[in-house]
Amino acid sequence: MSDAAPGHRQRQPGDGWVECGCGHRHWGLNGAAGLLVVRRDADGRPVAVVLQHRALWSDQGGTWGVPGGARMPGEAAQDAALREAAEEAGIEPSRVRVRESSVLEHPGWSYTTVIADEVGEIHPAVTDAESLELRWVPVDEVARLPLLPAFADAWPGLLTRLETLDGR
C-alpha cells in the first residue's frame, strides 16, 4: 500500500511506513496481516490459493502475494487479514474457516499470514485500486509467479503447512 496511490482509499489509523530494528521499511504502523485462502479437493489436499497481483504503484508492485495490509490500532491479526481480504478481494469472512497463523517477526514490526480454508464458494475480484488481478492459483504454479519477495521466502513453509493441515 502507498499513501500516494491513485484512487486509493482514505488513510486509516495504522497506515504508514515503519523502519524495523533490522533497518527494513515495512507498511503498517501496528504490523500487517494477510489472508491465505486455500481450496481443497475431496480428499482434503490443497489444490489452489487466492493470490493478488499487486498494483504497479504499490510497494513491490507487479508482484503476487496474499491480500492483506496494515493492522489498525488494537486490531487482532486475524481480524485485519479478514478485513483486508474483504476490502481488496471481495472475500466474505463467512466463506472461510480460519485454521492457523504464521508470523514473520522483525524487531518492532510483524506480518501475520492467516491460513484459511474455503468453506463457501469464493470468486475473488478486484475491489479497489491496490490490485491488478485476483485469482485462484494452483498450488503447483505459485512458485512460478513473480512473488512478493517475503511471500516467496515464506511459500515453501506455508505450502508444507497447507499440506499437513487436515482439510476435512
Side-chain angles (χ1 to χ4, degrees), residues 4 81 100:
E100 66 180 39

Side-chain angles (χ1 to χ4, degrees), residues 55-163:
L56 297 176
W57 55 261
S58 69
D59 182 43
Q60 299 175 53
T63 61
W64 290 81
V66 298
R71 291 170 58 183
M72 303 256 191
E75 184 178 38
Q78 178 177 314
D79 294 338
L82 292 168
R83 176 184 51 77
E84 288 283 344
E87 291 173 3
E88 296 180 0
I91 296 173
E92 297 175 33
S94 64
R95 297 197 175 269
V96 301
R97 176 174 56 130
V98 172
R99 302 298 302 278
E100 66 180 39
S101 298
S102 173
V103 181
L104 171 66
E105 290 281 351
H106 284 245
W109 187 87
S110 67
Y111 185 91
T112 303
T113 301
V114 176
I115 298 171
D117 287 340
E118 177 188 40
V119 294
E121 196 167 345
I122 293 174
H123 301 282
V126 173
T127 57
D128 67 14
E130 295 182 37
S131 306
L132 295 172
E133 179 183 4
L134 280 133
R135 66 178 163 98
W136 286 102
V137 177
V139 293
D140 59 351
E141 294 178 17
V142 170
R144 295 186 208 143
L145 293 172
L147 299 176
L148 183 75
F151 182 64
D153 290 345
W155 176 244
L158 291 169
L159 179 57
T160 297
R161 288 305 306 143
L162 297 180
E163 292 170 343

Side-chain angles (χ1 to χ4, degrees), residues 9-69:
R9 68 176 167 79
Q10 189 80 7
R11 273 184 81 95
Q12 301 293 315
D15 285 353
W17 293 102
V18 170
E19 186 172 312
C20 75
C22 302
H24 298 114
R25 189 171 170 240
H26 305 283
W27 182 255
L29 300 176
N30 306 293
L35 189 67
L36 178 59
V37 180
V38 60
R39 177 174 282 165
R40 295 180 182 277
D41 66 15
D43 294 322
R45 289 185 298 261
V47 294
V49 294
V50 173
L51 292 184
Q52 172 193 47
H53 193 187
R54 299 165 57 83
L56 297 176
W57 55 261
S58 69
D59 182 43
Q60 299 175 53
T63 61
W64 290 81
V66 298

